[in-house]
Amino acid sequence: MSNMSTFHQDYFFLIGIPRLEEFHLLLSIPFSIMYVTSLLGNFTLIWVIGTNKTLQQPMYIFLMLLAGCDILLSSTTVPKTLSIFWFNSHTISFNGCLVQTFSIHFNFATESAILVIMAYDRFHAICRPLTYTSTLTTSFIRKIIITALLRSVCIITPFVFLLYRLPYEGSNVIEHTYCEHMSMARLATADILVNVVYGLIIASCSTGVDLILIIISYVIIIRAVLRLRSSEARLKAFNTCVSHVCVIILFYTPAFFSFIAHRVGHKYVPLQVHILVANLYVLFPPMMNPIIYGVRTREIRQRVASMLLRAITRIHK
């Protein structure tokens, strides 16, 4: 037991993007552009929905939550990444690393749950329109949001304890731009089988189940839409789902690539490619989500256009 006594490093050294160190300053340009665009787009989305009573509907409330989650997801990692690129600020405290790990996985789990809720919203709107308003009440929405948050806390908190119990008596260099579960666990000088197994269980039982529920919802939605007699009605129904489907693809594709590369693909996927994709996973979806919904949702597009027009008029005055 004395050999297994937990020893923690005072700090970790985040190397950035391995083998691309000389391009860090150049990479900071698209990273910062995507981050600023993400913040502007998501804050605008929250402002537009939050200040317009006509948009206080379930679909828009869930969209506002998604925007908030996107802001937190990118803000948890990108500022530290940019500080590495710009100021060579590579160090992060042990506790800071744990906090960042929890925040990343918590936001990912919460966003995954929100996407399931949005799929449920589309299912009710298209397949059961007569009971839509009576089912998705304010009380019901509040309960499912609290449930999603509690689920994220319950499944992600063990990651912190599993990492904290491990001894770190060897290297303190993390080949990444931010801390996350497996990158920290691999530095431990002890068996990390429990960490690996728990990570697989969470990926299968939460994110995997979320994706299955979304797929089932859309199978039912597609069947219901195809039964509609009017081609115009079918097109309108499909159009209400296109934005959500695009967001799902943008969110899950890089996330699963990163998950697989960490566990089975690190021997076959170049490390720099893996780290680049891991950064895109916290940058690209948060940047694209407000653009997708802003372009494809008429109500949001009109509100943003009206807001911009008022701002331009005030400037000219």
Side-chain angles (χ1 to χ4, degrees):
M1 290 296 293
S2 61
N3 291 334
M4 289 299 292
S5 60
T6 303
F7 176 83
H8 297 153
Q9 302 277 3
D10 291 333
Y11 66 90
F12 289 109
F13 187 92
L14 294 167
I15 202 169
I17 301 178
R19 305 187 188 105
L20 294 178
E21 289 87 351
E22 59 186 289
F23 300 106
H24 277 178
L25 197 57
L26 188 62
L27 286 169
S28 70
I29 297 172
F31 274 49
S32 55
I33 290 172
M34 285 192 285
Y35 181 54
V36 171
T37 304
S38 168
L39 292 180
L40 287 174
N42 285 295
F43 274 121
T44 300
L45 209 56
I46 292 171
W47 173 262
V48 169
I49 295 172
T51 57
N52 288 277
K53 292 183 179 181
T54 56
L55 297 180
Q56 301 302 306
Q57 302 171 32
M59 182 181 77
Y60 298 110
I61 292 171
F62 300 142
L63 183 54
M64 188 165 61
L65 289 171
L66 184 69
C69 209
D70 279 337
I71 291 170
L72 292 174
L73 182 63
S74 57
S75 296
T76 299
T77 60
V78 180
K80 181 59 182 176
T81 300
L82 291 177
S83 73
I84 294 171
F85 291 169
W86 288 339
F87 310 114
N88 290 320
S89 176
H90 294 272
T91 59
I92 184 170
S93 68
F94 178 82
N95 289 332
C97 216
L98 286 178
V99 170
Q100 194 178 51
T101 298
F102 174 83
S103 300
I104 292 165
H105 292 289
F106 172 81
N107 284 315
F108 178 82
T110 303
E111 188 155 341
S112 181
I114 291 170
L115 291 175
V116 175
I117 295 169
M118 292 175 80
Y120 179 73
D121 171 78
R122 291 299 85 206
F123 161 75
H124 253 286
I126 293 172
C127 301
R128 299 177 181 176
L130 297 178
T131 60
Y132 181 77
T133 53
S134 61
T135 301
L136 274 79
T137 60
T138 303
S139 174
F140 179 77
I141 291 170
R142 189 183 300 115
K143 286 176 184 177
I144 58 176
I145 290 170
I146 292 171
T147 301
L149 293 172
L150 287 176
R151 187 195 76 155
S152 297
V153 170
C154 291
I155 65 176
I156 301 304
T157 300
F159 279 132
V160 176
F161 291 105
L162 288 173
L163 289 171
Y164 191 82
R165 72 182 178 88
L166 293 170
Y168 299 87
E169 300 174 306
S171 172
N172 68 339
V173 177
I174 297 177
E175 294 182 312
H176 212 308
T177 56
Y178 56 81
C179 300
E180 53 90 43
H181 177 234
M182 286 308 298
S183 64
M184 280 189 71
R186 284 209 173 90
L187 294 181
T189 52
D191 186 10
I192 61 169
L193 180 61
V194 175
N195 295 68
V196 174
V197 171
Y198 186 73
L200 288 169
I201 290 171
I202 292 305
S204 302
C205 297
S206 62
T207 310
V209 170
D210 288 349
L211 191 55
I212 290 170
L213 290 173
I214 290 170
I215 292 170
I216 291 172
S217 297
Y218 273 101
V219 168
I220 298 171
I221 288 169
I222 290 169
R223 288 179 61 188
V225 171
L226 292 176
R227 290 197 190 104
L228 297 174
R229 294 182 180 180
S230 168
S231 59
E232 186 179 345
R234 287 197 296 269
L235 183 61
K236 185 178 179 181
F238 277 128
N239 276 335
T240 63
C241 299
V242 169
S243 299
H244 185 231
V245 171
C246 290
V247 168
I248 290 166
I249 294 169
L250 284 173
F251 178 75
Y252 284 110
T253 302
F256 276 112
F257 176 87
S258 184
F259 172 82
I260 293 167
H262 249 316
R263 286 160 178 82
V264 298
H266 56 277
K267 294 180 181 178
Y268 310 103
V269 179
L271 187 58
Q272 62 269 34
V273 174
H274 173 203
I275 305 305
L276 276 171
V277 173
N279 277 278
L280 286 176
Y281 136 66
V282 297
L283 267 171
F284 197 64
M287 179 188 72
M288 291 303 298
N289 290 351
I291 295 173
I292 291 169
Y293 275 102
V295 169
R296 293 201 57 84
T297 309
R298 181 173 56 84
E299 291 84 355
I300 293 174
R301 191 169 62 247
Q302 288 175 344
R303 294 290 178 180
V304 172
S306 176
M307 187 174 67
L308 290 173
L309 186 61
R310 285 199 302 269
I312 293 169
T313 303
R314 286 174 186 172
I315 291 170
H316 283 294
K317 285 182 179 180

